[in-house]
Amino acid sequence: SAVISQKPSRDICQRGTSLTIQCQVDSQVTMMFWYRQQPGQSLTLIATANQGSEATYESGFVIDKFPISRPNLTFSTLTVSNMSPEDSSIYLCSARTGVGGEQYFGPGTRLTVT
Amino acid sequence: GQQVMQIPQYQHVQEGEDFTTYCNSSTTLSNIQWYKQRPGGHPVFLIQLVKSGEVKKQKRLTFQFGEAKKNSSLHITATQTTDVGTYFCAAGNQFYFGTGTSLTVIP
């Protein structure tokens, strides 16, 4: 199994600013992902964080808005850039040990943009 | 991303009643996973199904993968208040999440 921590757990930010969310896994994992979840909604995959290379973004998400880093096998960051109120959401980091393996989630970062 | 639909969206049951949620895809799935998310919590992995027609049980929970690997179900027998939460299926290599079924158990 893997234990995932995220920082910050929550934040209130002003529009136009940027926030970087950190995700730390307690063991080396093959794959890391970033999701967004609106209250009462399902999870939407933002991107796959690739170690040592550019992240793979899903349709509707771009690198300029959501730059992602993954410098090693246990750590990743997601930046929400030039925020607007529409970016208010819960951002979840997840990790998997293999292509078909069990997926673990961090506790999430609750972001409110005013 | 892959489209995975779940029904029903909401389900209210009396404690002790059974509950089933269904997950449907228009394409064949290599595997499917089920997650439970308690209110205010994050998704927690329950099970993974890989084989056509596979059935797995965890105490009162029964998971099934369709023969065509395009649908799956989660059945809870004799629900308890601890079963409250939203149940998601997830499919594809990136595990695209279904729309979820929110379960309310009335004591």
Side-chain angles (χ1 to χ4, degrees):
Chain A
S1 65
V3 177
I4 302 176
S5 58
Q6 283 184 237
K7 288 194 298 186
S9 58
R10 59 178 62 228
D11 207 342
I12 301 174
C13 302
Q14 291 190 342
R15 71 168 67 214
T17 63
S18 298
L19 175 72
T20 296
I21 303 168
Q22 298 181 4
C23 176
Q24 179 72 56
V25 189
D26 70 342
S27 58
Q28 292 188 348
V29 290
T30 306
M31 307 177 81
M32 294 182 74
F33 305 92
W34 287 97
Y35 288 85
R36 184 168 72 181
Q37 186 176 31
Q38 304 281 6
Q41 302 294 315
S42 183
L43 285 76
T44 300
L45 181 65
I46 297 172
T48 301
N50 300 310
Q51 192 253 331
S53 64
E54 191 172 289
T56 304
Y57 290 85
E58 296 297 310
S59 175
F61 298 96
V62 295
I63 187 171
D64 290 345
K65 175 67 176 177
F66 297 101
I68 288 170
S69 78
R70 189 181 172 193
N72 56 52
L73 292 175
T74 64
F75 185 78
S76 178
T77 66
L78 167 73
T79 299
V80 186
S81 303
N82 189 24
M83 288 184 285
S84 67
E86 292 71 34
D87 295 320
S88 297
S89 189
I90 297 171
Y91 292 84
L92 292 148
C93 170
S94 73
R96 202 191 310 168
T97 54
V99 174
E102 181 175 337
Q103 188 154 320
Y104 306 92
F105 282 84
T109 297
R110 183 180 293 272
L111 170 62
T112 302
V113 183
T114 60
Chain B
Q2 195 147 25
Q3 294 288 332
V4 181
M5 301 301 296
Q6 278 184 256
I7 54 171
Q9 186 175 1
Y10 303 97
Q11 185 78 60
H12 292 69
V13 299
Q14 290 287 142
E15 189 172 17
E17 291 183 339
D18 292 356
F19 159 77
T20 304
T21 173
Y22 300 90
C23 182
N24 299 297
S25 170
S26 58
T27 60
T28 301
L29 305 171
S30 57
N31 56 43
I32 197 159
Q33 295 192 345
W34 284 93
Y35 294 81
K36 177 183 179 181
Q37 185 174 27
R38 293 181 184 274
H42 59 275
V44 174
F45 173 85
L46 295 176
I47 204 96
Q48 176 169 268
L49 304 173
V50 178
K51 299 176 183 177
S52 168
E54 188 170 13
V55 178
K56 288 188 177 180
K57 293 189 176 183
Q58 289 179 350
K59 297 183 180 178
R60 296 178 292 105
L61 277 61
T62 302
F63 304 85
Q64 190 163 5
F65 203 5
E67 294 289 342
K69 300 182 76 173
K70 290 185 177 182
N71 55 71
S72 181
S73 64
L74 158 59
H75 180 82
I76 301 178
T77 303
T79 54
Q80 300 175 358
T81 55
T82 53
D83 296 324
V84 166
T86 301
Y87 293 84
F88 292 100
C89 61
N93 287 333
Q94 282 73 32
F95 290 135
Y96 298 106
F97 275 68
T99 47
T101 297
S102 175
L103 172 64
T104 300
V105 179
I106 304 165

